[in-house]
Amino acid sequence: MSSRDPAWRQLVKSRKFWVTTAVVTSVSLIFYDWYNDRYASPATRYTRIEGDYQISVKKLRKIRKEFVRDMIIGLKEDDALPQSAKKSKLKMLSTNVRSIPTGLEKGIFYTLDWGGSNYRVLRIEFLGKKGSTPICKEYKHTIEQEYQKCNQASTLFNHLAEVLKNQLIAHKSLNSKQPSNQKYPIG
């Protein structure tokens, strides 16, 4: 910069001027956007973001095709492979289910579902008659905070086992048709 340039020209040539201008402009735009959004009606807010949540049928079909392709690849891969060695982007585990139910199954089965804060015990009794509807009873248990955030997995699993035990005791009259030494399959 030459000392003969007018002050405004020296200012415009300075890097500090442009950095300061960029920062002030950015902050102003952020504040303006925040202020307008904060006091806008819900309909206006929705209109502003609506386009961000729309997806074309063509794009959906492409996503579906990729998803199905990754599922097929994932199911063909060996479960023992480390995730880093797998070709599928999806974490796929084989269920080892080798046959489809016929509808002639008979007996009592328990299914357990643990989803973070809830634990469900589902008792299903199959009657062994084709076309018959299984008898289902669901028991939902909210897992207490102390077990949701415990340091030892064994503490949580002991609690879940205790809940299951209590449900089996509560089902004693329902299970009275079964031999006393009956073992129940759990899925």
Side-chain angles (χ1 to χ4, degrees):
M1 281 184 257
S2 144
S3 60
R4 288 181 278 161
D5 286 339
W8 66 269
R9 190 174 295 241
Q10 287 181 4
L11 183 64
V12 171
K13 287 183 178 179
S14 122
R15 178 184 166 103
K16 187 176 182 181
F17 169 78
W18 289 110
V19 169
T20 305
T21 302
V23 168
V24 169
T25 303
S26 297
V27 169
S28 299
L29 288 172
I30 290 169
F31 178 76
Y32 175 79
D33 201 38
W34 169 82
Y35 183 82
N36 278 341
D37 210 41
R38 179 182 175 115
Y39 295 104
S41 69
T44 304
R45 287 181 178 177
Y46 174 77
T47 303
R48 279 192 204 138
I49 64 169
E50 181 180 18
D52 296 338
Y53 293 94
Q54 292 179 347
I55 191 166
S56 69
V57 173
K58 184 178 178 181
K59 181 75 171 172
L60 279 173
R61 286 187 178 132
K62 183 179 178 185
I63 291 169
R64 181 187 64 190
K65 186 177 178 180
E66 289 287 319
F67 191 75
V68 170
R69 184 185 65 77
D70 265 1
M71 283 179 20
I72 290 168
I73 292 169
L75 288 172
K76 287 180 181 176
E77 293 177 324
D78 185 12
D79 289 345
L81 276 175
Q83 192 64 34
S84 59
K86 293 188 176 190
K87 294 176 186 165
S88 175
K89 297 174 199 143
L90 301 174
K91 190 172 190 174
M92 304 290 293
L93 297 173
S94 175
T95 62
N96 297 315
V97 174
R98 301 292 178 239
S99 64
I100 297 173
T102 63
L104 299 174
E105 293 77 22
K106 186 174 184 173
I108 298 171
F109 297 83
Y110 282 88
T111 300
L112 311 177
D113 175 33
W114 167 45
S117 61
N118 290 311
Y119 180 55
R120 289 178 184 81
V121 177
L122 180 65
R123 179 191 182 277
I124 307 168
E125 184 174 356
F126 292 99
L127 305 175
K129 298 174 190 155
K130 193 137 184 123
S132 65
T133 304
I135 301 168
C136 299
K137 285 209 173 270
E138 179 183 347
Y139 301 90
K140 183 176 173 184
H141 173 76
T142 301
I143 299 173
E144 294 83 0
Q145 285 290 323
E146 66 185 273
Y147 296 110
Q148 289 181 30
K149 298 181 182 190
C150 61
N151 293 330
Q152 298 289 324
S154 59
T155 305
L156 171 65
F157 292 123
N158 286 340
H159 174 67
L160 297 179
E162 190 66 31
V163 170
L164 177 60
K165 177 182 165 190
N166 292 339
Q167 289 303 325
L168 287 171
I169 291 169
H171 297 166
K172 197 168 190 130
S173 64
L174 293 173
N175 298 335
S176 62
K177 298 180 247 173
Q178 304 298 318
S180 60
N181 62 350
Q182 173 73 37
K183 293 183 179 178
Y184 298 102
I186 296 186

